[in-house]
Amino acid sequence: MNASTIPLCDIPLMARPAGTLWQPGARALCVSDLHLGKSDRLARAGGALLPPYENLETLSRLSDEVEATQPEIVICLGDSFDDMDGATSLDDDCRDLLLRMQAGRRWIWIEGNHDPGPISVGGEHLGSVSFEGLTYRHIAEPGAVGEISGHFHPKLAVPGGGVARRCFVWDGRRCILPAFGAYTGGLSALSPPIRTLFGTEAFAVLTGRRPLKVPLISDGHRRSSRPRQGSAYRSG
Amino acid sequence: MNALPRPFADWFDTRGWQIHPHQQEMLSRASESTLLLIAPTGGGKTLAGFLPSLVELADGAHKGLHTLYVSPLKALASDIKRNLRTPVDEMGLPIRIEDRTGDTSYTTKRRQRADPPHILLTTPESLALLTSYEDAPRIFAGLSRVIIDEIHALEDSKRGDQLMLALSRLETLAPGLRRVGLSATVEDPGRIAHALARQPDPCRILTADPGPEPDISMLVTEEKPPWSGGGAAYAIPAVLDLVKQHRTTLIFHNTRAQAEIFFHNLWLANDDSLPIGIHHGSLDRQQREAVEAAMVRGDLRAIVCTGSLDLGIDWGDVDLVIQIGAPKNVKRLIQRIGRANHRYNAPSKAVLVPANRFEIVECVAALDAAKAGDLDGDPKGPGPRDVLCQHILICACAGPFDAEALFREVRTVGAFAGLSRAAFDDCLDFCATGGYALRAYDKWQRLKQVDGLWQLRDPRSAQRIRMNIGTIQDTDTLKVRYRGSFKPLGEVEEAFAATLTPGDTFLIGGQVVRYEGLREMTVEVSRRADRKPKIATFMGTKFATSTQLSARILEMFRQDSWPDLPGHTQDWLTLQREVSKLPEANRILFESFIYDGRPHSCIYGFAGRNAQQTLGLLLTQRMEAEGTAPLGFVSTDYATLIWSVEPVTDPVPLFDPDQLRENFDTWLRGNAVMKRTFRASATIAGLIERRTPQSKKTGKQATFSSDILFDTLSKYDPDHLMLRITREEALRGLVDFGRIEEMLSRTGGHIDHVKTARLTPLAAPLLLEAGRVPFAGEGRERLLEAAAERAITEAGLAP
């Protein structure tokens, strides 16, 4: 299968290339930081009018994942809506899409810092939830083991591999999911807020065509003797 | 003819000056609506522009703003203030002169709005900001003249378009406003006149005596220039000799990186410790000002500089201009040469230093063109609509407006004279609603119509719009400073900073520094005593060789021999003619050979760096489709070299114009350069806000890449205004598809396919060229996987 295995506490988990997490034992699909309603919130504040298609884009990609995995449970790991008004900005197409995905399965909205309370769409609203002993919550807690979280929007650029990609961060004890929403930026997986949550042997799983597992070596340890292309000094 | 009034005539007499004929003519014709003065640097151009204002203001009767002076550089505005003070003080004229730029303090700016000076010196961006205030009608009520200095440097840029839109605003606020443009020598004064005048008003063009012919030559050294690169390090001893023989020398470079490297090498060889400084746009303002001050005092024997010194700041005693690297563009060369000898009757002296073997050919072609007065210029397209969008938002900040009135006002601008009402409405709709086809912001429009007038829905947006005024695309830059110090050293591009690993050394401000880390969006470095930096370049746009100059080079290739060229260059071209052939203007030369065990193809299009780069991207795609499995390419101003797994047996189908155009359209959607073009236009039009009131607090996490907007629009709204603008822009600038079209029509698609056993002489320098582009495809994914695997193995982990 085109996914990368990243077990936590011996419970199997699959990091999918689209940026969702699959827990086969619970038949649970997890997705984080959808940030639905972002363009609407910016417009309300009198800012730029961004292309208002991000809800449709995000939900269509989620729908593809639901189709592919046929989960019994879907967990949206917080910041599913960009603010508490986010749900009201969903148009009919998006609501239909969401309803179709929710039909016949358990749907859990984990509360995030952007959406800390119940929202006017179907599904359960929980602070956190556990399956097979693994805990799903929005923001990682210090020292937690067997924890799956989001919030940080990790991304990583591999030297020689072009632009940064959204990524999972994993060390066998905890896992942080990439942001799934279309209009979301990212924070380098090597930056202290993320890196310090993990042990020395941590990995990033890059999203893309195929998931790509790379060791997470912080800046200070990276070898500086690697050859560089096109930027070498030439004395002429 | 207006005689010079008393205090002025006396002042000229005391100084022992004669009024120049063009200064007298500017005075005599002062009442005409539009005047364009073409004069060489040092011809008393600025005084010619200001003289009528000084005369009109001499009696002290005028209240409020009389003359607005706009220059492309902040430094120029403050320089002019200093120069203008001298006559005004010496004649005891009751005239208040102030400047207003991004550097002016908040209190001064407020006072200037309440009580404007007689003469205000400013930049296009500061002017646009002034017109966005609600009290703009009061500020500009008495405005009588506007002087645009160095108009040639503004005219073909978006800054110029924005400036002319602002003038159309001023015209409405101060009817009868007279316009004056001051320009260096240009290829087509009529074009600038058209841009300057209120349409359909005429514009009178006055031309000053161009002065004596400049003395230009090319530096020929004992040591041969290298095959590629732009450093010209070989010429350091010769350049130092020239500096010693002259009072003050300006040493121009085409990029900041090259200026830094050259300056560093110059100091390593500067055994006599001649005072030499560096000046470019990435340096910190304080550092630049220190160099400028030293220059004015005459303390420096030479300044290594870039385009930041292209324009008319008076540096006094410059008696030699050295241009390192081919000038790429004859017009720029002439203007740089004009920086030497500001005294009117002395010839300017300039020396061209080719950085590599091919540039020798280019320099000789440029010398010929300069001697023939054959300046280059590309045809200007219609007024850019992203700038119009910003203008509409600026107008909305100032107060409610009527769409029809604004449309008519915009059409008085030369570049927008042909604008249709439908195109204008597209822009207005974009500003108001975002202009989306599939889903609209019903409640949250940016502009709404009340009683037939358009206004901001939320008055708070005025602040956000004002924060984002301007059309200059500063690439995302990071400040550089020593660790533990607050004094900034300068700036580097974010993309460059991203490639640094702690321990890497690079050049900035002529010093080698060691990268320590990134802290709060500042690059922290420490001092290093190293003589050689590990990474010498930070990025920077490279100019593309102009169409006219490329044509001259191709013309030179037709000669039987080249007595004007140094021997080694003659031999090189002769060998190319024997082994393969020299490129011709009406054919595309396509060479195939095996090098290092791999098939290589070299395509000589002479379309300029940007278009050759685009050609490389398109041809590699065509080759992928034809099964030759390209691996990468590299481009220069004259050729593109592609390497692949399989050889190209027949290049003709690759150049099918329809196929190329179709590929171009497909390619545009996924291309990085295109995304950069989109980002630039979307930022100008107000879709992307570079600065927001909260941006200081929010970190990187809150911002997302403009690429996502581009992808989303391409998928859901492919006909959106911003995408249409982006496609239009792609014909010029970084994508420059227009010059590929020019190449195809010039050659009629005729291709000479030459197969040789080994590398050809003309293709050899391309192998050394930096900036290789790997072909992105399935092969790239495999490379990435291999890199990840290596990283895992290196870290001692099992994959």
Side-chain angles (χ1 to χ4, degrees):
Chain A
M1 186 174 151
N2 185 10
S4 186
T5 314
I6 49 169
L8 288 187
C9 310
D10 296 327
I11 305 290
L13 290 174
M14 312 296 284
R16 296 178 52 81
T20 60
L21 185 78
W22 173 241
Q23 184 174 352
R27 293 204 61 78
L29 180 73
C30 178
V31 66
S32 190
D33 296 271
L34 301 175
H35 285 272
L36 299 171
K38 180 153 185 162
S39 62
D40 232 59
R41 180 175 65 80
L42 294 176
R44 250 180 285 139
L49 303 174
L50 298 182
Y53 307 123
E54 90 279 21
N55 295 344
L56 193 58
E57 168 67 14
T58 303
L59 292 173
S60 305
R61 281 193 287 119
L62 180 55
S63 172
D64 291 345
E65 289 294 287
V66 169
E67 280 299 310
T69 56
Q70 293 297 330
E72 287 173 14
I73 306 161
V74 172
I75 306 157
C76 297
L77 206 47
D79 288 359
S80 305
F81 295 90
D82 203 57
D83 66 0
M84 292 304 288
D85 294 328
T88 55
S89 73
L90 287 184
D91 60 16
D92 292 346
D93 287 350
C94 290
R95 281 178 180 277
D96 287 352
L97 197 52
L98 194 54
L99 280 175
R100 276 206 300 280
M101 280 191 277
Q102 290 179 334
R105 54 178 61 95
R106 196 175 164 197
W107 193 281
I108 301 167
W109 302 107
I110 301 288
E111 290 166 3
N113 50 316
H114 281 254
D115 50 0
I119 312 142
S120 62
V121 284
E124 302 164 50
H125 298 271
L126 298 172
S128 66
V129 70
S130 295
F131 295 103
E132 298 182 280
L134 300 184
T135 303
Y136 288 85
R137 65 167 64 93
H138 181 57
I139 304 180
E141 288 183 357
V145 174
E147 176 197 72
I148 295 154
S149 63
H151 181 65
F152 287 105
H153 303 196
K155 65 172 184 184
L156 188 70
V158 176
V163 295
R165 294 187 182 182
R166 301 173 185 202
C167 66
F168 296 82
V169 189
W170 168 81
D171 69 354
R173 283 190 299 269
R174 67 155 45 118
C175 171
I176 294 183
L177 264 62
F180 193 79
Y183 292 174
T184 50
L187 184 66
S188 166
L190 293 169
S191 68
I194 298 178
R195 189 63 189 86
T196 52
L197 287 167
F198 292 89
T200 42
E201 282 196 12
F203 289 80
V205 180
L206 271 57
T207 61
R209 274 195 226 187
R210 292 187 279 274
L212 197 59
K213 200 186 273 187
V214 292
L216 212 52
I217 299 162
S218 57
D219 257 7
H221 305 121
R222 200 194 289 169
R223 261 151 247 234
S224 54
S225 59
R226 73 200 146 83
R228 249 162 226 292
Q229 211 172 32
S231 58
Y233 181 78
R234 282 172 305 163
S235 53
Chain B
M1 186 165 131
N2 296 21
L4 206 54
R6 196 58 202 282
F8 293 87
D10 290 349
W11 184 71
F12 269 85
D13 284 347
T14 350
R15 295 232 148 187
W17 286 359
Q18 283 276 318
I19 187 167
H20 287 306
H22 63 268
Q23 291 173 331
Q24 179 60 56
E25 202 173 355
M26 288 291 281
L27 197 58
S28 310
R29 299 190 181 279
S31 61
E32 295 187 21
S33 66
T34 318
L35 293 171
L36 173 63
L37 172 64
I38 312 272
T41 329
K45 195 165 51 178
T46 320
L47 189 59
F50 276 107
L51 211 46
S53 291
L54 299 185
V55 170
E56 287 169 30
L57 286 165
D59 64 3
H62 188 92
K63 297 279 172 275
L65 192 57
H66 176 280
T67 296
L68 186 69
Y69 165 92
V70 187
S71 90
L73 290 181
K74 285 187 256 186
L76 204 49
S78 53
D79 191 55
I80 295 290
K81 184 168 80 170
R82 207 171 46 230
N83 293 349
L84 214 49
R85 278 253 65 94
T86 312
V88 168
D89 289 347
E90 288 180 4
M91 285 184 269
L93 301 176
I95 302 176
R96 225 173 92 210
I97 305 166
E98 290 177 14
D99 60 343
R100 179 191 183 94
T101 67
D103 295 343
T104 309
S105 77
Y106 177 75
T107 11
T108 308
K109 280 185 180 170
R110 281 216 74 98
R111 186 182 47 69
Q112 283 173 345
R113 275 168 65 190
D115 176 23
H118 296 113
I119 299 178
L120 185 68
L121 315 164
T122 189
T123 59
E125 291 71 29
S126 285
L127 174 62
L129 186 59
L130 266 177
T131 63
S132 82
Y133 291 118
E134 288 170 14
D135 53 1
R138 203 182 43 71
I139 302 172
F140 295 107
L143 185 64
S144 178
R145 300 181 82 227
V146 55
I147 301 170
I148 300 168
D149 203 358
E150 309 279 359
I151 188 172
H152 59 278
L154 284 169
E155 183 264 340
D156 59 356
S157 72
K158 291 188 176 179
R159 299 182 74 201
D161 294 316
Q162 175 163 58
L163 173 60
M164 296 309 164
L165 285 167
L167 288 200
S168 72
R169 221 49 294 271
L170 295 184
E171 182 80 40
T172 305
L173 300 176
L177 175 67
R178 290 164 291 166
R179 306 177 179 202
V180 175
L182 308 176
S183 171
T185 317
V186 282
E187 80 287 1
D188 186 1
R191 194 176 102 171
I192 295 189
H194 178 75
L196 174 64
R198 185 178 82 129
Q199 298 304 310
D201 289 359
C203 170
R204 185 179 298 275
I205 301 171
L206 307 178
T207 310
D209 176 4
E213 290 285 310
D215 162 18
I216 331 172
S217 57
M218 183 175 77
L219 180 75
V220 179
T221 54
E222 284 286 308
E223 191 172 346
K224 295 174 192 167
W227 287 108
S228 80
Y234 79 95
I236 295 270
V239 167
L240 271 175
D241 272 347
L242 284 170
V243 170
K244 279 178 210 159
Q245 290 161 26
H246 291 82
R247 271 192 321 274
T248 313
T249 306
L250 291 184
I251 305 171
F252 276 105
H253 287 261
N254 289 335
T255 70
R256 294 167 187 182
Q258 280 165 8
E260 282 281 357
I261 299 167
F262 195 84
F263 181 64
H264 182 70
N265 288 331
L266 206 54
W267 267 103
L268 292 180
N270 187 4
D271 298 330
D272 300 340
S273 292
L274 295 170
I276 298 174
I278 183 165
H279 189 286
H280 64 69
S282 289
L283 290 178
D284 186 64
R285 180 158 58 94
Q286 287 178 341
Q287 294 208 15
R288 265 181 289 156
E289 283 171 355
V291 171
E292 286 163 17
M295 189 72 184
V296 170
R297 287 196 305 271
D299 288 351
L300 294 179
R301 293 293 297 278
I303 290 195
V304 174
C305 56
T306 64
S308 62
L309 282 194
D310 266 349
L311 299 168
I313 301 170
D314 199 342
W315 293 118
D317 259 356
V318 174
D319 56 348
L320 176 66
V321 163
I322 296 178
Q323 161 71 37
I324 307 283
K328 305 289 173 196
N329 171 317
V330 181
K331 191 164 63 171
R332 187 180 312 115
L333 173 66
I334 295 286
Q335 282 153 15
R336 286 186 171 173
I337 291 170
R339 309 294 294 124
N341 254 331
H342 268 201
R343 277 158 314 150
Y344 202 38
N345 289 318
S348 312
K349 188 172 172 192
V351 175
L352 305 189
V353 180
N356 59 50
R357 222 56 79 85
F358 192 81
E359 286 195 348
I360 293 176
V361 181
E362 213 178 308
C363 282
V364 169
L367 280 179
D368 290 348
K371 278 175 191 148
D374 178 13
L375 305 191
D376 30 24
D378 290 317
K380 190 172 156 58
R385 283 173 293 168
D386 48 357
V387 179
L388 177 57
C389 290
Q390 189 179 111
H391 183 68
I392 293 173
L393 288 172
I394 290 172
C395 291
C397 289
F401 65 86
D402 174 63
E404 175 62 25
L406 184 59
F407 172 61
R408 279 205 228 122
E409 190 181 288
V410 166
R411 294 241 301 181
T412 65
V413 176
F416 293 94
L419 183 78
S420 70
R421 181 63 201 254
F424 174 84
D425 285 343
D426 269 358
C427 293
L428 179 58
D429 181 44
F430 167 77
C431 293
T433 71
Y436 299 107
L438 298 181
R439 186 182 174 274
Y441 288 99
D442 320 319
K443 277 187 288 182
W444 312 119
Q445 299 200 354
R446 211 171 195 186
L447 307 181
K448 62 174 184 181
Q449 226 175 347
V450 179
D451 301 333
L453 298 182
W454 289 91
Q455 60 185 62
L456 297 174
R457 173 184 60 79
D458 181 347
R460 285 177 302 173
S461 31
Q463 189 200 357
R464 304 177 71 128
I465 292 166
R466 289 193 185 113
M467 285 177 94
N468 288 284
I469 285 179
T471 58
I472 306 173
Q473 288 307 303
D474 34 30
T475 40
D476 296 317
T477 54
L478 299 176
K479 286 219 181 311
V480 180
R481 68 175 183 217
Y482 285 125
R483 176 163 274 189
S485 153
F486 290 101
K487 197 170 155 258
L489 283 166
E491 289 176 342
V492 294
E493 287 175 33
E494 199 176 339
F496 172 72
T499 68
L500 294 172
T501 304
D504 284 349
T505 50
F506 63 98
L507 272 168
I508 187 157
Q511 305 184 46
V512 180
V513 295
R514 179 182 193 277
Y515 175 67
E516 297 293 345
L518 200 61
R519 175 183 293 246
E520 284 156 9
M521 303 314 283
T522 301
V523 175
E524 291 197 330
V525 297
S526 58
R527 268 173 231 273
R528 288 289 286 199
D530 297 17
R531 286 169 69 83
K532 271 194 180 186
K534 213 168 90 190
I535 306 162
T537 48
F538 44 99
M539 292 157 228
T541 34
K542 288 181 175 161
F543 300 114
T545 303
S546 70
T547 314
Q548 287 84 340
L549 201 48
S550 300
R552 273 192 178 261
I553 294 167
L554 288 167
E555 191 60 32
M556 264 174 73
F557 282 167
R558 294 180 50 189
Q559 298 171 21
D560 293 329
S561 62
W562 302 274
D564 292 347
L565 295 176
H568 50 71
T569 309
Q570 294 184 33
D571 295 346
W572 179 44
L573 296 184
T574 309
L575 188 63
Q576 169 71 17
R577 190 171 267 166
E578 282 166 15
V579 173
S580 170
K581 58 197 302 183
L582 283 167
E584 294 170 60
N586 55 357
R587 335 259 309 163
I588 298 170
L589 175 61
F590 192 109
E591 291 176 340
S592 294
F593 51 84
I594 305 284
Y595 177 78
D596 202 16
R598 263 199 211 301
H600 282 63
S601 308
C602 195
I603 303 102
Y604 301 88
F606 281 81
R609 184 175 293 272
N610 295 336
Q612 289 287 154
Q613 178 92 357
T614 300
L615 188 65
L617 289 161
L618 294 175
L619 288 179
T620 43
Q621 279 195 341
R622 299 279 297 122
M623 286 167 67
E624 177 88 345
E626 305 261 329
T628 43
L631 293 166
F633 69 91
V634 68
S635 303
T636 65
D637 275 302
Y638 60 98
T640 298
L641 180 70
I642 305 176
W643 47 100
S644 51
V645 177
E646 303 291 336
V648 175
T649 47
D650 181 10
V652 177
L654 297 179
F655 287 87
D656 177 58
D658 294 334
Q659 281 276 3
L660 270 186
R661 263 176 230 125
E662 196 188 307
N663 263 42
F664 177 63
D665 282 341
T666 326
W667 165 78
L668 280 184
R669 268 172 254 145
N671 173 260
V673 183
M674 194 65 184
K675 287 176 177 173
R676 229 163 108 184
T677 308
F678 169 79
R679 182 173 67 186
S681 283
T683 306
I684 291 171
L687 180 63
I688 297 169
E689 296 174 307
R690 270 177 304 174
R691 288 175 282 267
T692 60
Q694 302 87 27
S695 62
K696 280 206 176 108
K697 278 178 225 153
T698 55
K700 291 232 78 181
Q701 213 180 335
T703 63
F704 57 95
S705 148
S706 60
D707 296 3
I708 295 173
L709 293 183
F710 180 80
D711 292 340
T712 310
L713 268 182
S714 305
K715 187 168 167 187
Y716 292 97
D717 218 337
D719 221 22
H720 187 264
L721 177 68
M722 285 317 307
L723 292 180
R724 279 182 279 144
I725 292 177
T726 307
R727 278 192 285 272
E728 210 172 273
E729 295 279 317
L731 291 177
R732 305 186 284 266
L734 286 170
V735 180
D736 215 3
F737 194 73
R739 283 192 66 181
I740 295 181
E741 293 276 13
E742 185 269 334
M743 176 196 82
L744 290 173
S745 76
R746 154 164 62 86
T747 59
H750 293 300
I751 293 161
D752 289 325
H753 190 195
V754 177
K755 294 178 202 169
T756 60
R758 54 196 179 89
L759 179 64
T760 61
L762 218 48
L766 276 98
L767 286 169
L768 306 169
E769 192 69 30
R772 291 171 160 239
V773 181
F775 182 74
E778 184 60 21
R780 187 69 186 282
E781 288 287 319
R782 284 206 293 269
L783 285 179
L784 185 59
E785 280 166 27
E789 211 159 289
R790 268 200 310 279
I792 289 184
T793 317
E794 275 183 37
L797 304 162

